[in-house]
Amino acid sequence: MANPEISTNERWPGLIGQYKVNTALQYDRTYTNVQAWGYEALAKKRNHRSSGLTEDLKPVELFKFHLGEIPDEEKPSLPSSLNYKKAITDYLREIGKVEKSPTHYVAKDTIHICWPNVNFMNNVLLILTIPAEFTDKAKGIMRECALNANLISTLRSSHLQFTTEPEAAALYCMKVSSEYFDNLVGKSFLICDCGGGTVDLTARTILEDNKLGEITERTGDFCGGTYVDREFVRYLRGKVGSTAIDLLIENYYDQYQYMIQKFCKHVKLPFTGDRNTFKLVEFDLAEYCKVIKQYVKGEEKLILEEDEWILELDFETIKSMFDPVVGRIIRLIRGQLAAGGNCSAMFLVGGFSESKYLQSRIKEEFDSRVKIIAVPRQPIAAIVRGAVEYGLKINTIKTRVLTYTYGVDCSPEWTDGDPPERKTSKGRIIKFFEMVKRGTRVEVDQEFTERFVPVFPDQTGITFSVYVTKEYNAVYCDDPGMRLLGTLSIDLPDTHLGLNRPVLYTLSFGQMEINCAAKNQITGDIYNTTFALDLD
């Protein structure tokens, strides 16, 4: 299929004409069965009655954030009886039920690449996009959830592949970059993917034969468009009281969501940051969230009744909702430009990239350093369309930059100068043996190989603990920031050869997931090797 047609899915349960669907689920009372998902899970209660939904249960949202390395207090709360892995699994299962298109199509969070007249389970490549800051453990959990959702038949199925959101966006932008450059080879560009929850950045360069190389380490943060919504809610708490907001969320979550949607439509999206053209915004609480009036008490109620429940949002108030979020995005961009050197263009994608204020702040800050700062067509669909491009031509990605230092535990003999308290009863010391350093640019099929020999003549296997760290020069496996990634197990047959069994074990880090292999250095025999991620 030389130039396959890519169609973006626009038909979801209860929603037509939108490229993305809400990451939300509505369960029954026991949180066992999904009764609605996506937009329908957030629909107003009058719509719930017709579908038989329990009206006093809040929908479950943003559960994928539990995979991110953010403080627990920043993670969305979940019902005590619901595990985030089950929520992810249930959502993937619902996505998998979306009607299959005869051409390639895409869906939010999960991207299916389908060919006509084939069995979905066995012949479809499933691409999962993940934020840049997700760890190998997070990928392992996503793979586990995809298996439990019956999207793949085995845990290590090759029918499931990962790409990061900025990488997928970069593939999309590479395809549209011909609109901005006559000669693409050698051009470098920065992708700033501004989504709802996360902002992910990656610097890329276009190589010969339409290959894409990564220049800098991928970076990201939880500072997407929904954090502007949070600032609005923080402002509301100051006007109506925190208790009123808490009760509203607890008892009328659909009305709370409706009010947020009105904020986005009438305040967030229209705000440009141009003081000269700005007009005072009157936000009518009585119209957008009438039920909140019953929860407002005391002085706040007297003030709001006098103002007829209308909040006057002036320029500085709205700007103050954006600035903490926009400031974090600008700092991320500044760091990428400092690390990546010359940049031919910057592309803003994702739903939040359509904010005129965000665009103007970025251009104001960086237009002297980057000649082209642009928002390509369909920025909200850039990731999903780029992910399909990735699935069609996985070898388009030539290099990636590692965001972690990888290594294994080793036990050399303890020597003078080593910490005395680390000396084992056998006169050895457990250290971190670095295999590849954070920031290394690696080919996607590049292998890192080490040699070892059995310690005992009758040894039938060996096990390594694989560790990752953000540090560049780690020494011990219990250093701060060190994390156990998983366990590498290698079978050692041919015990009749005793210690004469030098083994080469190989780890590959260029793909989105770690691959491993081992063989006898003398005979070339391939040994059975497994790598089990630590998912606890």
Side-chain angles (χ1 to χ4, degrees), residues 417-440:
D418 287 332
E421 68 274 11
R422 290 186 177 273
K423 186 176 182 179
T424 69
S425 60
K426 296 181 179 180
R428 294 183 173 271
I429 182 171
I430 306 300
K431 287 189 173 183
F432 175 72
F433 179 80
E434 178 187 294
M435 293 193 67
V436 60
K437 192 184 295 291
R438 173 186 175 182
T440 302

mmCIF file of all heavy atoms in Angstrom, residues 417-440:
data_model
loop_
_atom_site.group_PDB
_atom_site.id
_atom_site.type_symbol
_atom_site.label_atom_id
_atom_site.label_comp_id
_atom_site.label_asym_id
_atom_site.label_seq_id
_atom_site.Cartn_x
_atom_site.Cartn_y
_atom_site.Cartn_z
ATOM 1 N N GLY A 417 39.664 1.169 49.586
ATOM 2 C CA GLY A 417 39.052 2.379 49.037
ATOM 3 C C GLY A 417 37.557 2.255 48.905
ATOM 4 O O GLY A 417 36.836 3.260 48.879
ATOM 5 N N ASP A 418 37.058 0.999 48.789
ATOM 6 C CA ASP A 418 35.612 0.784 48.785
ATOM 7 C C ASP A 418 35.069 0.979 50.199
ATOM 8 O O ASP A 418 35.788 0.732 51.183
ATOM 9 C CB ASP A 418 35.283 -0.630 48.303
ATOM 10 C CG ASP A 418 35.489 -0.799 46.805
ATOM 11 O OD1 ASP A 418 35.357 0.205 46.081
ATOM 12 O OD2 ASP A 418 35.776 -1.929 46.366
ATOM 13 N N PRO A 419 33.822 1.414 50.352
ATOM 14 C CA PRO A 419 33.244 1.598 51.688
ATOM 15 C C PRO A 419 33.269 0.284 52.481
ATOM 16 O O PRO A 419 32.773 -0.740 51.999
ATOM 17 C CB PRO A 419 31.804 2.040 51.392
ATOM 18 C CG PRO A 419 31.858 2.622 50.022
ATOM 19 C CD PRO A 419 32.890 1.832 49.287
ATOM 20 N N PRO A 420 33.832 0.303 53.661
ATOM 21 C CA PRO A 420 33.909 -0.934 54.467
ATOM 22 C C PRO A 420 32.548 -1.551 54.750
ATOM 23 O O PRO A 420 32.404 -2.781 54.782
ATOM 24 C CB PRO A 420 34.597 -0.465 55.756
ATOM 25 C CG PRO A 420 35.328 0.785 55.374
ATOM 26 C CD PRO A 420 34.498 1.441 54.319
ATOM 27 N N GLU A 421 31.549 -0.704 54.947
ATOM 28 C CA GLU A 421 30.220 -1.215 55.305
ATOM 29 C C GLU A 421 29.546 -1.937 54.137
ATOM 30 O O GLU A 421 28.538 -2.635 54.319
ATOM 31 C CB GLU A 421 29.333 -0.082 55.807
ATOM 32 C CG GLU A 421 28.947 0.952 54.758
ATOM 33 C CD GLU A 421 29.997 2.053 54.596
ATOM 34 O OE1 GLU A 421 31.108 1.890 55.147
ATOM 35 O OE2 GLU A 421 29.684 3.061 53.912
ATOM 36 N N ARG A 422 30.089 -1.800 52.934
ATOM 37 C CA ARG A 422 29.511 -2.464 51.764
ATOM 38 C C ARG A 422 30.194 -3.795 51.444
ATOM 39 O O ARG A 422 29.830 -4.463 50.489
ATOM 40 C CB ARG A 422 29.563 -1.538 50.545
ATOM 41 C CG ARG A 422 28.600 -0.361 50.638
ATOM 42 C CD ARG A 422 28.582 0.451 49.353
ATOM 43 N NE ARG A 422 27.618 1.537 49.400
ATOM 44 C CZ ARG A 422 26.327 1.427 49.065
ATOM 45 N NH1 ARG A 422 25.850 0.263 48.648
ATOM 46 N NH2 ARG A 422 25.529 2.477 49.135
ATOM 47 N N LYS A 423 31.165 -4.165 52.215
ATOM 48 C CA LYS A 423 31.871 -5.417 51.979
ATOM 49 C C LYS A 423 30.995 -6.596 52.418
ATOM 50 O O LYS A 423 30.501 -6.650 53.536
ATOM 51 C CB LYS A 423 33.188 -5.434 52.759
ATOM 52 C CG LYS A 423 34.066 -6.637 52.463
ATOM 53 C CD LYS A 423 35.391 -6.520 53.195
ATOM 54 C CE LYS A 423 36.317 -7.687 52.895
ATOM 55 N NZ LYS A 423 37.616 -7.559 53.605
ATOM 56 N N THR A 424 30.766 -7.554 51.502
ATOM 57 C CA THR A 424 29.922 -8.702 51.816
ATOM 58 C C THR A 424 30.725 -9.768 52.556
ATOM 59 O O THR A 424 31.957 -9.699 52.663
ATOM 60 C CB THR A 424 29.323 -9.312 50.540
ATOM 61 O OG1 THR A 424 30.380 -9.930 49.785
ATOM 62 C CG2 THR A 424 28.645 -8.255 49.697
ATOM 63 N N SER A 425 30.008 -10.771 53.042
ATOM 64 C CA SER A 425 30.672 -11.863 53.768
ATOM 65 C C SER A 425 31.613 -12.657 52.880
ATOM 66 O O SER A 425 32.508 -13.349 53.382
ATOM 67 C CB SER A 425 29.612 -12.796 54.373
ATOM 68 O OG SER A 425 28.796 -13.340 53.343
ATOM 69 N N LYS A 426 31.424 -12.554 51.572
ATOM 70 C CA LYS A 426 32.283 -13.271 50.632
ATOM 71 C C LYS A 426 33.385 -12.376 50.064
ATOM 72 O O LYS A 426 34.043 -12.722 49.089
ATOM 73 C CB LYS A 426 31.446 -13.856 49.495
ATOM 74 C CG LYS A 426 30.446 -14.906 49.973
ATOM 75 C CD LYS A 426 29.647 -15.486 48.810
ATOM 76 C CE LYS A 426 28.676 -16.552 49.294
ATOM 77 N NZ LYS A 426 27.892 -17.133 48.163
ATOM 78 N N GLY A 427 33.550 -11.214 50.686
ATOM 79 C CA GLY A 427 34.630 -10.329 50.257
ATOM 80 C C GLY A 427 34.345 -9.591 48.964
ATOM 81 O O GLY A 427 35.295 -9.179 48.267
ATOM 82 N N ARG A 428 33.091 -9.404 48.632
ATOM 83 C CA ARG A 428 32.726 -8.695 47.412
ATOM 84 C C ARG A 428 31.922 -7.441 47.733
ATOM 85 O O ARG A 428 31.605 -7.160 48.896
ATOM 86 C CB ARG A 428 31.942 -9.624 46.465
ATOM 87 C CG ARG A 428 32.792 -10.783 45.942
ATOM 88 C CD ARG A 428 32.072 -11.668 44.952
ATOM 89 N NE ARG A 428 32.970 -12.647 44.376
ATOM 90 C CZ ARG A 428 33.704 -12.454 43.282
ATOM 91 N NH1 ARG A 428 33.640 -11.288 42.639
ATOM 92 N NH2 ARG A 428 34.500 -13.407 42.823
ATOM 93 N N ILE A 429 31.573 -6.693 46.700
ATOM 94 C CA ILE A 429 30.787 -5.473 46.882
ATOM 95 C C ILE A 429 29.789 -5.371 45.729
ATOM 96 O O ILE A 429 30.123 -5.666 44.570
ATOM 97 C CB ILE A 429 31.702 -4.218 46.924
ATOM 98 C CG1 ILE A 429 30.870 -2.958 47.168
ATOM 99 C CG2 ILE A 429 32.546 -4.089 45.660
ATOM 100 C CD1 ILE A 429 31.725 -1.717 47.432
ATOM 101 N N ILE A 430 28.560 -5.029 46.033
ATOM 102 C CA ILE A 430 27.522 -4.909 45.007
ATOM 103 C C ILE A 430 27.565 -3.499 44.429
ATOM 104 O O ILE A 430 27.413 -2.517 45.164
ATOM 105 C CB ILE A 430 26.119 -5.194 45.581
ATOM 106 C CG1 ILE A 430 26.113 -6.557 46.293
ATOM 107 C CG2 ILE A 430 25.076 -5.154 44.473
ATOM 108 C CD1 ILE A 430 26.455 -7.716 45.392
ATOM 109 N N LYS A 431 27.773 -3.409 43.110
ATOM 110 C CA LYS A 431 27.862 -2.116 42.441
ATOM 111 C C LYS A 431 26.923 -2.067 41.234
ATOM 112 O O LYS A 431 26.418 -3.086 40.767
ATOM 113 C CB LYS A 431 29.299 -1.842 41.993
ATOM 114 C CG LYS A 431 30.266 -1.492 43.107
ATOM 115 C CD LYS A 431 31.604 -1.014 42.550
ATOM 116 C CE LYS A 431 32.515 -0.507 43.658
ATOM 117 N NZ LYS A 431 33.788 0.034 43.104
ATOM 118 N N PHE A 432 26.734 -0.856 40.762
ATOM 119 C CA PHE A 432 25.955 -0.619 39.544
ATOM 120 C C PHE A 432 26.916 -0.602 38.363
ATOM 121 O O PHE A 432 27.853 0.204 38.321
ATOM 122 C CB PHE A 432 25.207 0.714 39.655
ATOM 123 C CG PHE A 432 24.473 1.113 38.400
ATOM 124 C CD1 PHE A 432 23.319 0.461 37.999
ATOM 125 C CD2 PHE A 432 24.935 2.169 37.615
ATOM 126 C CE1 PHE A 432 22.640 0.837 36.849
ATOM 127 C CE2 PHE A 432 24.261 2.565 36.477
ATOM 128 C CZ PHE A 432 23.109 1.891 36.090
ATOM 129 N N PHE A 433 26.689 -1.519 37.410
ATOM 130 C CA PHE A 433 27.523 -1.573 36.213
ATOM 131 C C PHE A 433 26.762 -0.895 35.075
ATOM 132 O O PHE A 433 25.747 -1.393 34.601
ATOM 133 C CB PHE A 433 27.860 -3.012 35.841
ATOM 134 C CG PHE A 433 28.697 -3.139 34.606
ATOM 135 C CD1 PHE A 433 30.064 -2.933 34.658
ATOM 136 C CD2 PHE A 433 28.117 -3.436 33.385
ATOM 137 C CE1 PHE A 433 30.849 -3.031 33.514
ATOM 138 C CE2 PHE A 433 28.876 -3.539 32.237
ATOM 139 C CZ PHE A 433 30.249 -3.332 32.306
ATOM 140 N N GLU A 434 27.249 0.264 34.663
ATOM 141 C CA GLU A 434 26.572 1.050 33.627
ATOM 142 C C GLU A 434 26.758 0.430 32.250
ATOM 143 O O GLU A 434 27.884 0.130 31.837
ATOM 144 C CB GLU A 434 27.116 2.472 33.637
ATOM 145 C CG GLU A 434 26.537 3.378 32.570
ATOM 146 C CD GLU A 434 27.234 4.712 32.534
ATOM 147 O OE1 GLU A 434 27.114 5.463 33.525
ATOM 148 O OE2 GLU A 434 27.920 4.992 31.530
ATOM 149 N N MET A 435 25.641 0.276 31.530
ATOM 150 C CA MET A 435 25.709 -0.242 30.163
ATOM 151 C C MET A 435 25.548 0.864 29.131
ATOM 152 O O MET A 435 26.166 0.835 28.073
ATOM 153 C CB MET A 435 24.643 -1.318 29.947
ATOM 154 C CG MET A 435 24.880 -2.585 30.743
ATOM 155 S SD MET A 435 23.841 -3.957 30.199
ATOM 156 C CE MET A 435 24.506 -4.280 28.557
ATOM 157 N N VAL A 436 24.710 1.842 29.433
ATOM 158 C CA VAL A 436 24.534 2.960 28.509
ATOM 159 C C VAL A 436 24.053 4.163 29.314
ATOM 160 O O VAL A 436 23.236 4.033 30.221
ATOM 161 C CB VAL A 436 23.546 2.607 27.371
ATOM 162 C CG1 VAL A 436 22.181 2.246 27.921
ATOM 163 C CG2 VAL A 436 23.442 3.728 26.350
ATOM 164 N N LYS A 437 24.587 5.332 28.983
ATOM 165 C CA LYS A 437 24.352 6.530 29.773
ATOM 166 C C LYS A 437 23.187 7.362 29.227
ATOM 167 O O LYS A 437 22.945 7.411 28.017
ATOM 168 C CB LYS A 437 25.628 7.381 29.805
ATOM 169 C CG LYS A 437 25.605 8.515 30.845
ATOM 170 C CD LYS A 437 26.867 9.353 30.744
ATOM 171 C CE LYS A 437 28.108 8.572 31.092
ATOM 172 N NZ LYS A 437 28.155 8.233 32.536
ATOM 173 N N ARG A 438 22.486 7.974 30.140
ATOM 174 C CA ARG A 438 21.427 8.915 29.774
ATOM 175 C C ARG A 438 21.985 9.985 28.838
ATOM 176 O O ARG A 438 23.099 10.472 29.002
ATOM 177 C CB ARG A 438 20.875 9.586 31.029
ATOM 178 C CG ARG A 438 19.882 10.704 30.755
ATOM 179 C CD ARG A 438 19.494 11.408 32.043
ATOM 180 N NE ARG A 438 18.636 12.538 31.765
ATOM 181 C CZ ARG A 438 18.162 13.378 32.695
ATOM 182 N NH1 ARG A 438 18.489 13.195 33.964
ATOM 183 N NH2 ARG A 438 17.385 14.393 32.354
ATOM 184 N N GLY A 439 21.166 10.349 27.817
ATOM 185 C CA GLY A 439 21.585 11.353 26.845
ATOM 186 C C GLY A 439 22.279 10.779 25.633
ATOM 187 O O GLY A 439 22.544 11.504 24.667
ATOM 188 N N THR A 440 22.557 9.457 25.647
ATOM 189 C CA THR A 440 23.205 8.813 24.502
ATOM 190 C C THR A 440 22.235 8.714 23.336
ATOM 191 O O THR A 440 21.090 8.287 23.501
ATOM 192 C CB THR A 440 23.702 7.402 24.878
ATOM 193 O OG1 THR A 440 24.607 7.501 25.974
ATOM 194 C CG2 THR A 440 24.392 6.739 23.695
#
